[in-house]
Amino acid sequence: MMFSSNQVLEISGDMRQLEAAIEFAMRYSDQNECFMRREKPAKCVYQISDDGRYCIGWALHDEVPPDGWSEYPFDYDPKIIGPVVRQWIEKAPRPFDENAELDGSHHIGFLLQESGGSRWAEQERIKNGRRCIITIRPFWCFYAK
């Protein structure tokens, strides 16, 4: 089962939880099955959206990835994709001022969201947004005293 048209799935966390969040969201969407079937597996693809989200999506096994999408040079594996996304987040612009005075500790993390494929396509932030499964962006984790 894919995400429903009005489903909301958001997971925030620190970088140690990123791989598990990707694996959970992909399994929950049932899209991971299309990447793992023996015959004609789908291609796992990615893009960076106009509004700065790391997007993970799919392409048919025999097609060139749609406009805006790039194919990973390896088969779908959250243990590989997790560190790739982590490195991207660490180099992305910070979502919050690191020097802001807060009463507690803070560090960079992630916010993973189901794509809402048709919603993204309508907003045109993701090229060929109907191919998107999940989006990930930097998120500021704050721990109050």
Side-chain angles (χ1 to χ4, degrees):
M1 164 186 267
M2 296 170 62
F3 293 121
S4 62
S5 296
N6 66 341
Q7 185 167 353
V8 175
L9 174 69
E10 291 187 335
I11 303 170
S12 63
D14 67 33
M15 297 307 221
R16 296 171 298 176
Q17 301 159 329
L18 181 58
E19 180 183 310
I22 292 170
E23 187 172 10
F24 171 78
M26 295 296 278
R27 184 177 297 133
Y28 193 71
S29 74
D30 277 343
Q31 292 294 333
N32 64 330
E33 298 299 323
C34 71
F35 300 125
M36 296 182 195
R37 58 183 175 230
R38 288 187 179 265
E39 292 188 34
K40 301 180 179 182
K43 297 175 185 177
C44 191
V45 296
Y46 69 96
Q47 73 170 276
I48 308 303
S49 68
D50 290 341
D51 65 344
R53 296 171 188 261
Y54 191 99
C55 306
I56 300 174
W58 61 275
L60 296 175
H61 75 282
D62 59 350
E63 76 174 339
V64 173
D67 183 40
W69 293 94
S70 298
E71 185 177 350
Y72 285 107
F74 48 82
D75 293 335
Y76 168 75
D77 186 341
K79 290 179 176 68
I80 299 172
I81 294 173
V84 169
V85 176
R86 181 180 304 113
Q87 186 178 69
W88 175 82
I89 287 173
E90 289 170 352
K91 292 183 177 188
R94 298 286 190 230
F96 187 78
D97 180 3
E98 290 182 57
N99 300 315
E101 292 191 31
L102 302 172
D103 189 18
S105 63
H106 54 277
H107 63 270
I108 193 67
F110 69 90
L111 177 61
L112 180 150
Q113 298 171 301
E114 55 78 27
S115 72
S118 60
R119 292 192 307 267
W120 287 110
E122 290 168 9
Q123 295 174 9
E124 296 183 20
R125 291 182 179 166
I126 299 174
K127 293 178 183 170
N128 290 298
R130 286 183 169 78
R131 298 296 183 100
C132 190
I133 303 168
I134 59 174
T135 68
I136 305 166
R137 62 183 165 141
F139 181 78
W140 203 251
C141 298
F142 173 69
Y143 302 90
K145 283 186 179 180

